[in-house]
Amino acid sequence: MSSSTTLDAEGRAEPQGESAFGPAYDLAGLVGRLSRCDVRPTFAELNALLEGVEVGADELRPYVSFKEGTYARHRVHLCEWAELLVLCWRPGQRTPIHDHAGSFGAVRVLRGVMWETLFEMDGAEGLVYRSAREWTPGRVTGADVPDIHQLGNPDISGQDLVTLHLYAPPLTSLNVYKVGRRESTSTLWMNSWNPTI
């Protein structure tokens, strides 16, 4: 999902390609843009911001480490309007089926292969499978409200996965779902279920 808008140096929407940072910017440039936001970025702006960033190995290195039980969440930036995270996944690690409890989300794959499974709520059958996609380095996907999905590093990938996530407003919880159910089965609070590092 892409957009033709991004945020200028003052955090205002502008057409893509007219950025104060040029057509591409590094991780520090993205943090600078987010620091200057004075309103919540739109869903389209989140996608555009992640499409414009190029993260170098040296910038990424402090945020790359893994957990054995679940994927690791490393906070890069947090402000009133948005949160930027690097997530690190071993093969077989994945999220539960979830929504973002009112936050927009965008993801850029930095290393590895990410599988995304999309679901929809059917009035008669409850939650049903809709489709699945595979995302490779440089690709950006997003979750609008009320999208329900599952992300993960496939068991068969044989490699670690590193992804960059941008949420607006900051993600505090996930509503968890099960196929066939009409409502969320539970809420996971991020700071207790999978705290950031």
Side-chain angles (χ1 to χ4, degrees):
M1 296 179 193
S2 64
S3 166
S4 60
T5 61
T6 188
L7 301 180
D8 67 12
E10 283 74 44
R12 296 181 305 248
E14 67 177 11
Q16 194 169 0
E18 297 179 16
S19 161
F21 295 99
Y25 37 88
D26 61 9
L27 192 60
L30 176 55
V31 168
R33 285 172 176 232
L34 295 172
S35 297
R36 291 184 289 277
C37 284
D38 57 3
V39 296
R40 174 184 172 180
T42 66
F43 178 61
E45 288 169 338
L46 292 188
N47 283 282
L49 284 166
L50 288 194
E51 287 172 353
V53 70
E54 293 296 333
V55 182
D58 289 341
E59 279 189 302
L60 186 59
R61 191 169 293 112
Y63 305 106
V64 176
S65 68
F66 297 83
K67 294 181 181 178
E68 289 310 313
T70 187
Y71 59 94
R73 304 170 73 242
H74 304 271
R75 182 172 290 129
V76 178
H77 178 73
L78 176 67
C79 65
E80 178 182 1
W81 306 107
E83 179 179 28
L84 183 65
L85 300 164
V86 171
L87 273 57
C88 299
W89 320 67
R90 295 284 191 208
Q93 293 180 339
R94 63 180 179 251
T95 67
I97 300 170
H98 68 280
D99 69 20
H100 295 149
S103 293
F104 299 131
V107 181
R108 181 180 178 114
V109 177
L110 301 177
R111 295 182 192 158
V113 175
M114 182 180 78
W115 280 359
E116 179 180 27
T117 306
L118 304 172
F119 300 86
E120 62 188 9
M121 198 59 74
D122 179 273
E125 297 181 42
L127 190 70
V128 295
Y129 167 86
R130 186 173 79 199
S131 63
R133 307 184 281 199
E134 180 176 289
W135 300 99
T136 53
R139 302 288 307 278
V140 175
T141 184
D144 202 346
V145 175
D147 290 352
I148 299 172
H149 70 166
Q150 182 177 46
L151 304 177
N153 184 358
D155 293 353
I156 59 172
S157 73
Q159 60 185 325
D160 292 331
L161 170 66
V162 179
T163 52
L164 184 65
H165 297 243
L166 181 55
Y167 299 102
L171 185 64
T172 58
S173 64
L174 304 176
N175 293 316
V176 176
Y177 297 84
K178 291 187 186 278
V179 171
R181 299 285 297 268
R182 289 190 176 93
E183 297 177 357
S184 167
T185 59
S186 63
T187 299
L188 296 177
W189 298 95
M190 302 311 293
N191 284 335
S192 57
W193 171 68
N194 192 357
T196 55
I197 298 172

